[in-house]
Amino acid sequence: MKPSVTEQDLALTPSPALPSGHAGTFQDDGAQPAVPAAGPRSGAPSRRRPRREHLVSAIRRLRPALRQPGLVLSVAWIIALVLAIVLPDVVSPSEPTRATARRRLAPPGPDHLFGTDQLGRDLFSRMVHGASLSLRTAVLSVLVGLVIGAFLGLLAGFLQGWVDVVIMRVMDVLLAVPSLLLALTLIAVLGGGSINIAVAVGVSGIAVCARTMRAEVIHVRQSVFIEASFVCGARRSAVLRRHVLPNSAGPVVVLAALQFGPAILAVSALSFLGFGARPPTPEWGSMVAGGRDFLATAWWLSTMPGLTILLTVLAGNRVARALNGR
Amino acid sequence: MLRYALGRVVQAAMVLWATYTVSFVVLYRIPGDAVLERTRYEPTDITAEQMNTLRAEYGLDQSLVSQYLHRTADVLTGDLGRSLVNGRPVVELIGEALPWTLQIAGLALVVGLFFGAGLALLANYVQAGWLRQALLSLPPLGVAVPSFWLGLVLLQIFSFRITWFPATGHGGWRTMALPAITLAIPIGAQIAQVFAKSLEQALAETYIQTARAKGLGHGRILVGHATRNATLPALTIFGLVVGDLFAGSVIIETVFSRNGIGQLTAASISAQDMPVVQGLVLLAAIVYVLVNLAVDLTYPLLDPRVARLSRPVPSGA
């Protein structure tokens, strides 16, 4: 994962709106919005309007998005991928593991959209079925990094003292080892397989999540409404859960979205190296590896899954940037 | 300044020690018995007595703390142990592999730096909006491309279609070209992204307005005023770029069947050869820490304000 750019970007985004100037009024801040409202705000409807007017205002609200064709295409691509995950058998023309001896290494054409492989299996069907495994692994790895990282960052930023020092020094270790090497090391310990890959890639995302969360928690902790809650006699755990967490979760969630693309790259790289799912199971990274022996004769075998990975990472990065407010 | 430098050195040493300790705990305790691991590669008719002798030889019959102390003493004298697969010293294995990787990684770094920084400068120099947009859309593409696939595509085009470069082999610059380009593209893209952004920020500063008011040309302002100020924030990603070089070499050395650190890493992970894995982790950490230390110590030379703060700021923050 490449946190460098994202971290810097995040530093520029405004932190969640904090109530300032509420020093005198002790109000319950539990209902604070966790993420600042993004996008252009159209006038809020104060009374019921006819249906058509709703439609018009919805289109008007979408118009700025339509001015960014890249973003629209990215969202469309992600919707297509979700379809492939939810209904693989509807989308794909044949079974991913069915081999037909007569149609081996057929080039892309009307019969086989992406061609067939050395066993006569339809490449498009294999990619549709592989989407599920590749993307679920990537999402799981991001969640591992997000949940553990955010938790550690929350503890470090809120408790401070020696807890902070210990957690952040361990995070320094995680940052000192390149993420792919860290993932590989964990695979050496845990063994291969897609779940282990998800955990291994996820661990390398913990450090950046923890840093972002900690910085945000320290920022929120200094606000007046936290002080006010303590003055009111709230317990530390309650303040942490009701006030600190909702107000500091925004940036780390955006960071997690930004890590989705790199996670796909890392997961498919590990599969390419042969640490992922076992051969008959379709997976994008291992499909690229499978095409290595046919580079000169059947270009489509590695090119199609490779292009798919590229487009998915591009789409993921673009949507994440939009979430980040750009 | 001295206090700042000393703080950085101590911090770097702490990170190294912590990395060593964590990798020791993770790699030596969780996988279980190193002797059982080793017997997987040797004839299985090994007696229990021989196993115990082996355990004693590896020091596995001692407590964790005593193992840790012994191993730490060895590591401090430059002995990283022996490979479980072929019994050769880890330091020797790494020493043999390192030159191959350094060649490619060095070339890739130069190429990536040149084209990445060049692209960022060019994008901020051109006046036409569409050209700027087109140039700035290249780095996101370079960051998103899976390098293992990129290597295969380059092989397909330049080795099989038009036979400019050999697909594998180790001799001369022709075998180095494709791996280095594959490795350079994601790195150059990352450099371009960060540098273009910090250039843009520098160009928005008031001292640029002053320079412009004095009548300086666009190019002079860009090179003479903005670049030096923009280098500082861009320097912080250098440690990450070097880490990416390390990780990328695992992939390109597999794709192009080359010898080197990456090949050694992939092989030792597959064989669960823990002493070699720990050696490689330590090597990566040393490189990362040294690069970041160098960046931190260069900082005050480029920007005297950093030294005046005198208090070390957390790296990367």
Side-chain angles (χ1 to χ4, degrees), chain B residues 236-251:
Chain B
T236 48
I237 67 152
F238 219 71
L240 285 157
V241 163
V242 170
D244 282 351
L245 280 173
F246 200 108
S249 65
V250 179
I251 286 165

Side-chain angles (χ1 to χ4, degrees), chain A residues 270-294:
Chain A
L270 291 173
S271 299
F272 174 83
L273 291 173
F275 299 110
R278 297 272 157 251
T281 322
E283 203 280 344
W284 292 350
S286 50
M287 284 170 75
V288 175
R292 271 183 80 186
D293 300 333
F294 302 93

Side-chain angles (χ1 to χ4, degrees), chain A residues 2 4 8-9 12 173 175-176 178 180-181 184-185 188-189 211 265 269 272-273 292 295 299 302-303 306 310 314, chain B residues 18 30 141 143 145-146 148-149 156 190 197 201 236-237 240 243-244 247 254-255 265 269 272 274 281 284 288 315:
Chain A
K2 301 186 176 71
S4 62
Q8 294 209 342
D9 289 348
L12 302 171
V173 171
L175 282 177
L180 190 71
L181 181 63
L184 282 169
T185 307
V189 174
R211 278 198 163 182
L265 281 183
F272 174 83
L273 291 173
R292 271 183 80 186
L295 283 183
W299 56 269
S302 61
T303 302
L310 170 63
L314 272 180
Chain B
I30 294 174
L141 197 67
V143 169
V145 68
F148 53 92
W149 174 66
Q156 227 160 30
Q190 228 181 322
K197 189 162 180 137
Q201 280 166 359
T236 48
I237 67 152
L240 285 157
D244 282 351
T254 305
V255 170
T265 308
I269 300 284
Q272 296 192 305
M274 296 312 177
V281 168
Y288 175 87
S315 63

Side-chain angles (χ1 to χ4, degrees), chain B residues 5 89 179 225 267:
Chain B
H225 294 239

Side-chain angles (χ1 to χ4, degrees), chain A residues 75-99:
Chain A
V75 172
W77 179 257
I78 286 174
I79 291 173
L81 288 178
V82 171
L83 265 182
I85 293 172
V86 180
L87 305 162
D89 297 315
V90 178
V91 182
S92 69
S94 74
E95 277 173 47
T97 49
R98 201 186 62 198

Side-chain angles (χ1 to χ4, degrees), chain A residues 36-53:
Chain A
R41 205 167 296 167
S42 61
S46 53
R47 60 188 168 80
R48 279 182 71 101
R49 284 183 300 179
R51 224 199 190 131
R52 198 158 150 188
E53 227 173 294

